[in-house]
Amino acid sequence: MSTGAGVGTGAGVHTAAVGAATVTTVRLAAGGSDRFALDEAARNRARGRDGWPAEPDLTRVVVDRFTDVVGRVVAAGGLDTAARRETEVAVGTLYGMARVGEVMHEQLDEAGPKWLAPEMFVYYSPHSLVSAAAVAHGLGGAATTLLGRDGGMQALLHAVRRLATGQADTVLVGAYEALTPFADAALDRLGVPHHAQFGDVAAVLLGREATGDAGDRHRLSVARGVASGRALPDVLDAAGVDPAAVADVRLCGATVAVQQAARAEFGAAFPRARTWVGGASSPAVGPVCALAEAVAPPAAPGTETAAEGEAAGRVVVVVAGRPGAWDVVLAR
């Protein structure tokens, strides 16, 4: 039983108090993700100066993959030209486009400015990739890029706040990651869970509830400030989620220690669900990847319809944050 009354914060956005936590529900209109190997990129970085000529093309791989996923999600969400012009963008990443900075600093140190590639410089900023995707698909609202281990979850929370306060009608939430060998070694030393063998790009489209639109079946509920796993029954009740429908629980802690704490808190809460840690290239991209897969789960060729039907009846739980103040996201 939820311990607080539900209130409508903004048109089409529902908020309920659950103890010290707040549960906000919005529409989850579409999602998509992509994963790509980084073997060639890692080998090229190991070549040093001999690998510089190939770097512009390798940089474009991340840009093009993200732009493609954003295009697919926007199209699946059914946004027309006018709606796209008002759609905001919030993206999270841990390492951003720092690969470009690595190469440029190496070039300046070893050979001077004549080796700098203009087509790479434009992607020096982590926000440049977001801008490129927004321009390509006519997304004209405010765009934000959040950096750090919790970048993806912070982007999601930012989007939900914009919807709940009536400042936006639709927000595309994205995440991207493509770690380098340097980043791989650094994150190992810091105890940050990650995978450097592949890169990830993902996006979901959030909006207000479409009144009377029974065909728009996906919803997303965010519970901020959940004190412990014991509060989960109230959170699920406030979000209108049957515990038996929970199929996957993804723990996206920013460090290995936080992931272990999340497993202790939430792993036993859903004994019939598949509980797994990480799985994405960084904790920044993990939450958005999980939500994108909840809408459009990966399927083997010839099984797309079955996977889509399976997704319709299941709930995915994503846990991030820190002990005593967990962020819990429910996608169904």
Side-chain angles (χ1 to χ4, degrees):
M1 181 70 66
S2 60
T3 57
V7 295
T9 305
V13 177
H14 184 268
T15 297
V18 181
T22 301
V23 181
T24 305
T25 299
V26 298
R27 179 167 54 93
L28 178 55
S33 61
D34 194 7
R35 175 165 289 176
F36 48 96
L38 292 175
D39 297 345
E40 182 182 357
R43 287 193 297 269
N44 200 67
R45 289 300 296 123
R47 295 174 64 200
R49 184 170 183 156
D50 291 340
W52 292 349
E55 284 298 328
D57 288 340
L58 293 171
T59 299
R60 287 291 313 182
V61 169
V62 188
V63 179
D64 292 344
R65 294 273 185 156
F66 184 74
T67 300
D68 178 67
V69 164
V70 169
R72 287 193 277 120
V73 170
V74 169
L79 296 183
D80 59 23
T81 301
R84 293 187 186 204
R85 282 198 296 266
E86 301 299 323
T87 297
E88 298 190 358
V89 183
V91 175
T93 180
L94 171 56
Y95 202 58
M97 297 299 287
R99 176 190 187 91
V100 175
E102 285 184 26
V103 175
M104 290 176 62
H105 293 168
E106 186 178 275
Q107 291 170 332
L108 289 170
D109 185 56
E110 295 185 18
K114 66 181 180 181
W115 266 97
L116 295 178
E119 62 267 40
M120 284 189 66
F121 184 78
V122 71
Y123 297 114
Y124 184 87
S125 164
H127 189 66
S128 58
L129 175 147
V130 180
S131 298
V135 170
H137 299 294
L139 306 181
T144 305
T145 301
L146 296 102
L147 294 173
R149 294 173 298 184
D150 291 320
M153 181 59 75
Q154 291 302 316
L156 175 66
L157 296 174
H158 171 77
V160 171
R161 281 194 299 270
R162 297 288 290 178
L163 293 169
T165 56
Q167 297 178 83
D169 291 323
T170 54
V171 184
L172 183 132
V173 179
Y176 72 92
E177 207 71 78
L179 300 175
T180 65
F182 173 83
D184 182 26
L187 295 177
D188 275 340
R189 291 193 296 270
L190 293 171
V192 176
H194 66 283
H195 296 281
Q197 298 86 359
F198 54 80
D200 283 311
V201 293
V204 293
L205 186 65
L206 305 184
R208 299 176 181 279
E209 295 280 359
T211 304
D213 188 359
D216 193 8
R217 65 177 183 269
H218 294 293
R219 297 292 181 271
L220 180 142
S221 297
V222 177
R224 297 220 61 192
V226 177
S228 71
R230 293 188 297 274
L232 273 180
D234 287 340
V235 170
L236 294 174
D237 182 53
V241 171
D242 180 357
V246 175
D248 290 279
V249 181
R250 177 158 325 172
L251 310 176
C252 298
T255 66
V256 173
V258 171
Q259 284 188 343
Q260 291 171 343
R263 184 185 290 277
E265 286 277 3
F266 298 97
F270 303 102
R272 298 181 181 178
R274 181 180 65 152
T275 302
W276 49 306
V277 174
S281 50
S282 83
V285 78
V288 184
C289 283
L291 297 176
E293 291 167 9
V295 182
T303 64
E304 288 82 359
T305 302
E308 219 173 82
E310 180 185 345
R314 71 188 187 120
V315 176
V316 174
V317 177
V318 180
V319 179
R322 63 185 187 280
W326 298 106
D327 296 318
V328 179
V329 182
L330 311 171
R332 75 273 190 195

